[in-house]
Amino acid sequence: MKFPGVKYEFNPNIFYSGYILRKKLLLAINKYSHFMQGKMMDFGCGSKPYKSLFNVNEYVGVDFQGQGHSHENEQIDVFYDGVLLPFPDNYFDSVFSTEVFEHVFNLEEMILEIKRVMKPGAKILVTCPFAIPEHEQPNDYARYSSFGLKHLFEKNDFKVVEFEKIGNHFDTLIQLRISFFSLVIFPKLNKLGIIKKIFEFIVYPLYNLTAIIFSKLFAKKQSLYLNNLIVCEKL
């Protein structure tokens, strides 16, 4: 499946270190994108990498403005202060937020604030990681299991409409192995120039192809997985 409106780093090929995670995340978001309608808020929008997947009347990108959080080359429409969203009650028909919740220290408070600006019956589509390395340090605060994420929404008067674990045990082990090379081994080869590039050219596609070929054999083994995807409705 082609996604011409999605940039390479979010729709990569097998030569990319995050291929397994990013490709499966893209396919999952596209699968549930039809829940997003009307006036939609992209909470923590960054560069709006998945904007082309949504058919909505209005797309409002919102992100946090604060120290230690760069927005260089991003497409923010509205900034918020980390506590209050600058919108009236019952304003949005839908909310999208991908790979953001782990960076929100006061998440339960923000869920209530997001809920405030959603219309009754509005849907929210969220993805967040379960088993990936720390990133955007030091602004990486939490990991949520499937049970924890569902509980956060249900206790705050949302109904879970859809839930999916993205990736399986095999995918996750392979992606973590790639991360080990990317974050630990290959940085030691920075001074070797072309030799480092050759190793990357061999290692990344080798592991990614292994995941493509063998992952389906372990599709139902999901006690360890890469990402959560949840769709909820405001009651």
Side-chain angles (χ1 to χ4, degrees), residues 32-203:
Y32 296 99
S33 61
H34 64 277
F35 283 106
M36 301 292 95
Q37 299 177 357
K39 183 182 294 184
M40 187 187 88
M41 175 175 66
D42 184 342
F43 178 74
C45 65
S47 63
K48 301 178 182 174
Y50 302 107
K51 183 178 180 180
S52 62
L53 302 183
F54 301 105
N55 182 19
V56 295
N57 296 333
E58 186 175 351
Y59 192 112
V60 182
V62 178
D63 217 314
F64 172 65
Q65 187 172 39
Q67 293 182 344
H69 192 91
S70 173
H71 292 291
E72 185 178 359
N73 299 320
E74 294 186 343
Q75 305 170 36
I76 317 300
D77 298 309
V78 178
F79 285 99
Y80 82 105
D81 62 4
V83 179
L84 297 175
L85 294 167
F87 305 104
D89 296 355
N90 305 319
Y91 189 71
F92 289 103
D93 301 291
S94 53
V95 175
F96 171 63
S97 185
T98 181
E99 309 303 278
V100 172
F101 276 22
E102 72 272 24
H103 303 295
V104 181
F105 189 79
N106 59 331
L107 181 58
E108 188 159 2
E109 294 174 13
M110 282 313 306
I111 287 178
L112 290 173
E113 179 63 4
I114 291 170
K115 177 186 172 185
R116 178 186 67 79
V117 303
M118 293 172 64
K119 296 178 181 178
K123 303 290 195 307
I124 179 170
L125 166 57
V126 171
T127 76
C128 61
F130 178 62
I132 69 171
E134 288 182 336
H135 55 286
E136 295 188 21
Q137 296 97 329
N139 301 307
D140 189 356
Y141 302 120
R143 294 291 180 270
Y144 298 93
S145 70
S146 58
F147 305 102
L149 192 60
K150 290 174 186 176
H151 177 69
L152 272 173
F153 278 102
E154 289 173 338
K155 72 179 290 191
N156 289 297
D157 297 323
F158 284 89
K159 179 177 73 173
V160 177
V161 177
E162 299 281 355
F163 184 87
E164 182 173 326
K165 293 179 177 181
I166 301 174
N168 56 43
H169 207 115
F170 190 82
D171 291 325
T172 307
L173 290 176
I174 295 294
Q175 184 63 75
L176 291 175
R177 181 66 64 87
I178 294 173
S179 295
F180 173 73
F181 277 96
S182 177
L183 299 173
V184 179
I185 300 299
F186 289 156
K188 297 180 182 297
L189 306 180
N190 284 337
K191 294 182 180 180
L192 299 181
I194 189 64
I195 295 177
K196 177 189 175 185
K197 293 293 183 183
I198 291 172
F199 275 113
E200 290 176 336
F201 187 80
I202 294 171
V203 170

